Structure formats: C-alpha cells, structure tokens
Amino acid sequence: MLTRILILLFVTMALAVYAKNDKKALLIIDVQKDFCKSGSLEVPNADEVVPIFNNLRSSVKWDSVMLTADWHPEKHVSFASTHEVKEFTEIVLPNGSKQMMWPDHCVQRTDGAKFHSDLVVKKSDVIVHKGTNLNVDSYSGFFDNDGESQTELNFKLQERGIKSVYIGGLALNVCVTYTCLDAVKLGFKTHLILDASRGLGDAQNKAAIKKLKAAGVIIINSRDIIRSFRGLKSASS
C-alpha cells in the first residue's frame, strides 16, 4: 500500500514538473478585418473564431499570447491589382515561383489590417507582422514563402522558453497550415485549434487537416484545451 502511494506521489510530482517546464503559447493567426465579415478577402464564418479565442484567453493560463498579422505594402506581389490579372488565379513570377493572386488586403495602416474589433488584444501580447516584403508573400507566421527570410516569431517563442504552441485563426488552409508546419519543423509541440480556425472551403480544409496530421500536428478543440488546464488561473485575461 505504501509503495503504491509513493508511486502515485512520484507520478504526480513528475507531471507537475513537466507542466511547469512545458511552457505554452497561444498563437492567433491573422484575425484581421479584411479576412472577416465584409472584408476584402473574407473567409467564410471567420467571425466565429473571435469568441472562441477570447474564451481561451480567459480560461487558460498561457505563458505567452502572440498574434500574427498580414502587413502588406501597397502594390504587394500577391495582389491581383499589382499585375492587372484576375483574382484567385495563379501566375508565375519572374523568379520562377508560383503566386496566388489575391484581392488587395491588409495593407499597412489601413482599417482592413486591424484586428477584429471584438478580439481581445492586450499590451502584453506579442504582435508579429508578416508579408512586409514587397516582392515576397508570407503565409507562415515564421517564414516568408521563399524560405529565405523569417519573422521574429521563432525568436520571441525561444526567448520565452515556449515548448508547445496552440495555433488557430485565418485561413485554416493557408496561413494557419503553413504556420503549423513550420512550427513542427522548428521543434515545437504543435496543436491546431480546429474550432478556432476557419478556411476558404470544405475541400481545402479537409486536405489541410490531412496534411497537418501527417506532419505530426495534434488536432484539438478549445473545450479540450480548457478541460486539460482547468483550475489554472489565467494570467492572460
């Protein structure tokens, strides 16, 4: 009986140490006005993720909360208007890379580049701008699409000792997927918050989820996260 109690005590202590060392960050991807209802590049049902993120913030003690934001200069390489071609077509750039042509969106210092009005954003949050290079797009929160330049996201996570990341936002099949895949490559324990993500279509979303599972991304819903960390007082609320 005593041996059994000691084993249980050891396991409990070990789990407590693991939980303390396994610092976790909530990564909110591109929940900006241009991707939400009536935005220039509206993602279907995008507004639904906002209360889910707000609830995650108030219910879980996160070691860090970080938000990415598309922050494009005017005449960005990804804009159909820059090349005078049809939106949602793909072209080949002079360097040989393929580029999807999007409507103008999230142009620096415009209203559309702002976060959704109801999304909780605090002074302690880390905001990472991406897509700032005029000639290169950036789907991932970590790297430009050419893989040559990176944002400060990885540095900020490493600086804070983050080991696990919980990722959601817009759009599931584009920027959320690319961010998850890069997080795995960089060695983070990576979770996709499925109910806090919306994509451009069912077929694209299913393909993205299949790809993420194959890469080792853990698919999880917000209620399961809250249940896992129930009882912890939120430091991010």
Side-chain angles (χ1 to χ4, degrees):
M1 184 67 178
L2 179 60
T3 301
R4 193 172 177 182
I5 293 173
L6 288 173
I7 291 173
L8 287 172
L9 180 61
F10 173 79
V11 171
T12 301
M13 292 175 65
L15 287 173
V17 171
Y18 175 79
K20 184 177 180 181
N21 292 332
D22 185 32
K23 290 188 175 182
K24 57 192 177 297
L26 176 64
L27 304 187
I28 302 173
I29 308 301
D30 299 0
V31 183
Q32 296 165 266
K33 290 185 177 182
D34 270 345
F35 295 128
C36 295
K37 188 175 181 179
S38 301
S40 64
L41 185 44
E42 179 180 347
V43 176
N45 305 309
D47 291 37
E48 294 175 354
V49 307
V50 174
I52 296 173
F53 280 122
N54 291 347
N55 187 42
L56 278 168
R57 296 200 61 147
S58 63
S59 302
V60 176
K61 181 182 177 181
W62 299 100
D63 295 293
S64 188
V65 175
M66 302 190 185
L67 302 92
T68 68
D70 265 6
W71 194 246
H72 298 311
E74 294 181 356
K75 302 295 182 182
H76 189 252
V77 69
S78 71
F79 296 166
S81 63
T82 301
H83 307 274
E84 299 182 346
V85 298
K86 289 181 63 176
E87 296 173 354
F88 304 108
T89 58
E90 193 174 66
I91 69 169
V92 178
L93 299 175
N95 64 6
S97 64
K98 294 180 180 180
Q99 174 65 55
M100 177 61 70
M101 294 287 93
W102 305 106
D104 290 23
H105 63 280
C106 301
V107 176
Q108 296 172 9
R109 289 172 288 278
T110 63
D111 188 65
K114 295 178 181 177
F115 292 116
H116 189 289
S117 301
D118 295 330
L119 183 70
V120 173
V121 181
K122 297 189 171 295
K123 291 182 179 180
S124 58
D125 295 346
V126 175
I127 297 175
V128 176
H129 290 141
K130 63 188 184 70
T132 60
N133 187 328
L134 181 67
N135 298 309
V136 184
D137 208 356
S138 183
Y139 294 158
S140 170
F142 291 97
F143 297 97
D144 284 347
N145 287 1
D146 62 6
E148 295 183 6
S149 301
Q150 62 177 305
T151 69
E152 61 179 354
L153 182 56
N154 184 40
F155 172 76
K156 293 294 184 182
L157 291 167
Q158 298 286 355
E159 184 180 50
R160 288 159 175 76
I162 301 298
K163 303 297 182 184
S164 297
V165 291
Y166 293 76
I167 303 171
L170 310 171
L172 169 57
N173 59 300
V174 188
C175 297
V176 173
T177 289
Y178 277 76
T179 301
C180 285
L181 292 174
D182 280 341
V184 171
K185 292 175 184 176
L186 290 167
F188 294 102
K189 185 177 181 181
T190 305
H191 308 74
L192 167 68
I193 314 172
L194 188 58
D195 61 329
S197 303
R198 295 292 182 276
L200 294 173
D202 289 341
Q204 297 98 314
N205 294 343
K206 288 178 182 177
I209 292 168
K210 182 177 180 180
K211 187 174 184 178
L212 292 173
K213 285 181 178 179
V217 175
I218 300 165
I219 311 299
I220 194 168
N221 284 309
S222 60
R223 65 179 180 273
D224 299 315
I225 298 171
I226 293 170
R227 188 181 297 118
S228 297
F229 298 105
R230 182 172 290 162
L232 293 175
K233 185 178 179 181
S234 176
S236 61
S237 61

